[in-house]
């Protein structure tokens, strides 16, 4: 097994780092419970220890292409580091579980977007498209100065899936995600469909609006700071589909009493730490 520290600005800490375990570090075929990686986040920005678990559970119930998550107590060389969030790594096993296929390409966004200054921070993680030729058409489309036809978007992204992802991020208050802050997201392109799917990541400071680092005011109801969201919101058809999806989430998925009960359960489990 290989082990390394992980994380960007929000989880940077030397005494209690976030960790990745590569289970197939020596043997490519080695796995545990169908996984080849384990991810443990230190909840550095979340004193409740429960936000990521609640967000990912909500996302999965909403139908978002989202990882699963639970809690873990982490001990390293006899030193008890306390409670971490164990998150399903966005790897080929995840893509196979969510999309039925693992063949394709994956990108990760680190404060990246489809603008000239931020596009380089959407990094190709795995797959054969090392030059991101299959992501370039979306970037090129979004540079068009005039309104972009809906059909042009639907040739490149699974629009229903993206609107589901977008509305879910906004409702749960994941301010540091793609819609609100152009950050913490994955994009997967299955080889079979050729369409792009977005996946949330790093929601350890959710339930907060608008967030501490966002200087540009964004509407609470739809955010649209991500450039793809901004350009889609220009289209009346997309605005109608977004409102319809938000209403579905409010009617069928959002359950505040249950989430508060879950938060109390997490508090009881983690209060020693």
């Amino acid at each position: 097994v290989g082990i390394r520290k992980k994380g960007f600005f929000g989880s940077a800490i030397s005494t209690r780092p976030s960790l990745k375990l590569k289970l197939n570090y020596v043997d490519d075929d080695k796995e545990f419970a169908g996984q080849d990686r384990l991810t443990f986040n230190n909840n550095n920005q979340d004193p409740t220890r429960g936000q990521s678990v609640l967000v990912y559970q909500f996302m999965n119930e909403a139908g978002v292409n989202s990882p699963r998550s639970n809690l873990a107590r982490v001990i390293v060389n006899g030193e008890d580091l306390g409670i971490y969030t164990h998150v399903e790594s966005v790897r080929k096993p995840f893509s196979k579980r969510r999309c039925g296929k693992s063949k394709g390409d994956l990108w990760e966004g680190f404060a990246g977007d489809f603008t000239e200054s931020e596009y380089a921070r959407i990094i190709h993680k795995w797959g054969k498209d090392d030059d991101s030729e299959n992501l370039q058409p979306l970037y090129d489309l979004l540079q068009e100065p005039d309104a972009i036809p809906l059909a042009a978007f639907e040739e490149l992204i699974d629009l229903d899936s993206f609107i589901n992802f977008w509305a879910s991020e906004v409702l749960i208050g994941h301010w540091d995600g793609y819609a609100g802050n152009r950050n913490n997201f994955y994009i997967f392109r299955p080889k079979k469909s050729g369409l792009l799917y977005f996946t949330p990541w790093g929601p350890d400071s959710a339930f907060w609006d608008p967030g501490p680092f966002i200087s540009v005011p964004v509407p609470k109801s739809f955010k649209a700071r991500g450039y793809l969201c901004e350009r889609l919101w220009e289209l009346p058809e997309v605005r109608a589909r977004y409102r319809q999806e938000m209403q579905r989430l409010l009617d069928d998925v959002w359950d505040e009493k249950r989430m508060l009960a879950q938060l109390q359960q997490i508090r009881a489990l983690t209060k020693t730490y």
Side-chain angles (χ1 to χ4, degrees):
V1 171
I3 183 170
R4 68 172 175 85
K5 295 195 290 185
K6 69 165 287 287
F8 191 42
F9 174 77
S11 60
I13 182 171
S14 60
T15 56
R16 193 174 171 274
S18 294
L19 302 168
K20 268 191 181 293
L21 274 66
K22 187 175 182 180
L23 305 179
N24 61 352
Y25 183 70
V26 175
D27 182 354
D28 288 341
D29 296 325
K30 191 72 75 175
E31 61 178 32
F32 177 76
Q35 303 298 310
D36 59 7
R37 302 283 175 92
L38 299 178
T39 299
F40 296 99
N41 291 331
N42 61 10
N43 303 308
N44 194 36
Q45 297 184 120
D46 176 18
T48 74
R49 305 288 188 261
Q51 293 190 42
S52 292
V53 172
L54 292 175
V55 171
Y56 284 130
Q57 179 168 315
F58 172 81
M59 291 284 191
N60 276 282
E61 291 175 353
V64 178
N65 194 46
S66 175
R68 297 169 294 184
S69 177
N70 57 21
L71 297 174
R73 179 183 174 193
V74 176
I75 300 171
V76 179
N77 294 334
E79 182 179 355
D80 192 343
L81 300 185
I83 302 300
Y84 280 61
T85 298
H86 170 216
V87 182
E88 181 181 14
S89 299
V90 181
R91 298 278 302 159
K92 291 183 180 181
F94 165 79
S95 300
K96 188 174 182 179
R97 179 178 71 82
R98 289 298 312 184
C99 300
K101 298 287 184 181
S102 62
K103 290 184 178 180
D105 288 273
L106 183 79
W107 293 265
E108 184 174 4
F110 298 94
D113 204 357
F114 294 92
T115 60
E116 183 178 359
S117 61
E118 297 169 314
Y119 187 54
R121 293 197 292 270
I122 302 179
I123 308 298
H124 185 253
K125 300 294 287 187
W126 52 259
K128 296 182 178 181
D129 190 11
D130 291 331
D131 296 325
S132 296
E133 292 180 0
N134 290 306
L135 199 61
Q136 188 70 32
L138 181 58
Y139 172 84
D140 293 339
L141 179 68
L142 291 170
Q143 309 318 304
E144 293 289 337
D146 300 323
I148 301 168
L150 183 66
F153 283 111
E154 292 183 317
E155 289 179 2
L156 300 176
I157 66 174
D158 187 303
L159 190 54
D160 286 337
S161 175
F162 182 77
I163 291 173
N164 170 232
F165 159 83
W166 176 8
S168 296
E169 278 201 334
V170 171
L171 181 56
I172 204 72
H174 182 15
W175 64 267
D176 200 20
Y178 178 72
N181 200 33
R182 305 176 176 184
N183 195 26
N184 286 321
F185 62 95
Y186 285 97
I187 303 172
F188 180 56
R189 181 183 182 272
K191 183 178 179 181
K192 185 174 182 180
S193 73
L195 298 177
L196 300 173
Y197 293 80
F198 281 65
T199 291
W201 192 245
D204 56 341
S205 51
F207 302 98
W208 193 353
D209 204 351
F213 306 123
I214 299 177
S215 58
V216 180
V218 292
K220 290 186 176 184
S221 58
F222 62 93
K223 296 289 197 298
R225 190 159 184 258
Y227 194 50
L228 175 56
C229 302
E230 182 181 329
R231 296 306 309 270
L232 283 168
W233 195 254
E234 296 172 359
L235 304 177
E237 308 100 302
V238 171
R239 294 199 293 269
R241 286 165 67 172
Y242 177 91
R243 293 185 181 109
Q244 184 179 13
E245 175 61 12
M246 181 64 78
Q247 192 63 58
R248 183 190 74 84
L249 294 173
L250 287 166
D251 292 342
D252 299 340
V253 186
W254 184 263
D255 188 337
E256 190 168 318
K257 288 183 178 180
R258 187 178 63 165
M259 283 192 285
L260 286 170
Q262 290 170 325
L263 188 59
Q264 290 302 320
Q265 182 185 33
I266 291 168
R267 183 170 182 246
L269 288 169
T270 63
K271 63 182 179 181
T272 304
Y273 302 93

